[in-house]
Amino acid sequence: MQDYVIRAMDDEGNIRVFVAKTTNLVNNARNIHNTTPTASAALGRTLTAVTIMGTMLKNERETVSLQLKGAGPLGTVLAVANSKGEVKGYVSNPSVDLPLKNNGKLDVGGAVGQNGKVTVIRDYGLKEPYIGQSDIVTGEIAEDLANYYVYSEQQPSAVALGVLVDRDTSIKAAGGYIIQVLPEATDEALDKLEANLANIEPVSSLIEKGYTPEDILLNVCNGFKMDIKDKTSVKLTCDCSVERMQKALIAIGREELNKIIEEDGEAELVCHFCNEKYKFNRDELVSLLNESDLK
Ligand code: ZN
C-alpha cells in the first residue's frame, strides 16, 4: 500500500486531523542510512511528523524542517518536507542502539535525550524563514512536538507517531496523526476526543493490522462527523544536485577552497540526506574558485 496523508475536519469546526501512513518511506530511510532499530524509530517518527507538517503548508514553494537536538547519543535528528509530499531526513549517529526499555519498547527518549531543543523552520523561499523553538520534554518526539505546538505556536494539538521495527530490522509499520484543536472547539467535543485517544491502540499496531489512514481517522474521531478534505501521496526523495554542492563549496570561502585545491587537489562531498557522493577534481575546483572571484 502506498504512503499518503489525509487531512480532515469535523462538520462543527472543532478539530482538524491529519493521518499518515509512512511505512515505505521510513523503510527506505532505514535502507539509505542503515539505522539500528532505535535510530530507525527516532528518524521514522521525525520523518512521519514532518511529512504531515509538509501537507499543512499553504504555498507550493514552502518547506518545513523539524529538528530534535538532544543530549543523547543519536545527536541531531532532522527531517525536511515540502507541500508536495517529498520528504528527506537523517540522524547524526545512525549506528547508536540502546537496550529496550522495561516495557519492551525501543528507548527513543534515551537515544534522543533530554536537555535539548525542538526546532521548526518554515522556509517560504523568498521571505525570511519562520523559526520556532521549544524544549525537548521526553525525547520520544510525539510529546515533544505536541509541547512545541502549545508553547511555540499556541496551537493545542494531540500528536501520535509510531514505527514498528521487524525482527530483520526492516520497518513493519509506520505512521501517525496530528489533531489540531480549533479555537471554536466545545468542551463536549474535547471530552469526546480525549475519551477516543485514551482508548485507541498505538498507531503503529493499527497500521500493522492493515488499517488505512481513513480507518484510523474513523477510530480517532469516533462520534465526530469527519469530512476528508484532501489526500497527498508522500515519498522519501532528495533534491541534492551537482549545482547545490558547487554552491556549498563556494560558500566555504576563497581561503578554504584554495586550501583544498593546494592540499588535496580534489574534494568529495556527501549528501547527509541520501548519502549520494559528489566528487570534484582540481580543474573543477579551480573553476569554482574563479567563479567565486566574480562575485
Ligand atoms: Zn541528497
Side-chain angles (χ1 to χ4, degrees):
M1 189 175 69
Q2 246 249 309
D3 288 345
Y4 62 93
V5 179
I6 55 169
R7 178 172 65 94
M9 218 171 121
D10 74 307
D11 64 340
E12 289 170 339
N14 292 296
I15 49 172
R16 190 183 292 124
V17 184
F18 301 81
V19 189
K21 181 205 157 267
T22 53
T23 309
N24 303 324
L25 188 162
V26 174
N27 194 49
N28 289 342
R30 182 206 73 110
N31 291 339
I32 288 173
H33 298 289
N34 199 19
T35 40
T36 63
T38 316
S40 296
L43 180 59
R45 289 181 196 175
T46 308
L47 281 166
T48 301
V50 91
T51 300
I52 294 174
M53 293 161 87
T55 67
M56 294 174 186
L57 298 172
K58 307 223 157 56
N59 190 317
E60 211 176 82
R61 298 172 62 154
E62 270 180 76
T63 60
V64 58
S65 71
L66 170 62
Q67 178 187 277
L68 282 97
K69 200 172 183 179
L74 273 185
T76 299
V77 191
L78 172 68
V80 186
N82 63 22
S83 64
K84 292 176 278 186
E86 295 170 337
V87 190
K88 59 183 182 179
Y90 70 82
V91 48
S92 310
N93 301 310
S95 57
V96 164
D97 214 0
L98 293 182
L100 294 178
K101 294 192 287 189
N102 291 337
N103 61 7
K105 299 228 190 288
L106 294 166
D107 191 5
V108 174
V112 171
Q114 287 99 37
N115 297 322
K117 295 282 180 196
V118 177
T119 308
V120 172
I121 301 175
R122 278 193 282 274
D123 196 331
Y124 304 96
L126 298 165
K127 287 181 282 175
E128 283 288 295
Y130 164 89
I131 303 174
Q133 210 169 48
S134 66
D135 290 332
I136 290 177
V137 188
T138 61
E140 294 283 337
I141 300 165
E143 285 97 331
D144 302 309
L145 185 58
N147 180 67
Y148 164 81
Y149 274 124
V150 172
Y151 289 101
S152 192
E153 300 200 9
Q154 289 76 50
Q155 169 58 69
S157 308
V159 181
L161 305 165
V163 174
L164 199 64
V165 181
D166 214 341
R167 275 164 206 263
D168 66 358
T169 76
S170 67
I171 305 303
K172 208 170 186 182
Y177 52 82
I178 297 180
I179 304 169
Q180 297 178 332
V181 175
L182 300 175
E184 271 88 69
T186 62
D187 289 344
E188 193 197 345
L190 293 183
D191 289 346
K192 194 156 60 180
L193 180 64
E194 210 170 296
N196 288 349
L197 292 177
N199 289 317
I200 195 165
E201 274 181 67
V203 63
S204 55
S205 350
L206 293 176
I207 289 173
E208 190 204 0
K209 286 181 183 169
Y211 279 52
T212 63
E214 288 84 351
D215 297 331
I216 295 171
L217 179 73
L218 277 178
N219 276 264
V220 172
C221 303
N222 185 22
F224 290 91
K225 237 176 118 189
M226 299 304 294
D227 183 14
I228 296 177
K229 304 285 186 189
D230 53 44
K231 175 174 167 175
T232 310
S233 293
V234 296
K235 65 168 194 280
L236 193 81
T237 177
C238 193
D239 52 356
C240 64
S241 63
V242 175
E243 291 72 29
R244 280 197 175 206
M245 293 298 172
Q246 287 173 338
K247 275 188 193 153
L249 276 171
I250 290 173
I252 64 170
R254 278 194 59 78
E255 216 171 296
E256 276 297 308
L257 198 52
N258 226 336
K259 215 167 114 188
I260 293 172
I261 295 169
E262 275 167 20
E263 288 176 9
D264 306 317
E266 59 181 4
E268 184 182 274
L269 270 66
V270 181
C271 175
H272 286 309
F273 292 101
C274 68
N275 282 341
E276 177 84 31
K277 292 186 176 69
Y278 292 87
K279 284 189 178 149
F280 296 92
N281 62 27
R282 180 181 290 271
D283 290 349
E284 288 164 332
L285 291 174
V286 169
S287 78
L288 281 179
L289 191 68
N290 293 336
E291 218 177 289
S292 71
D293 270 348
L294 301 172
K295 283 171 188 157

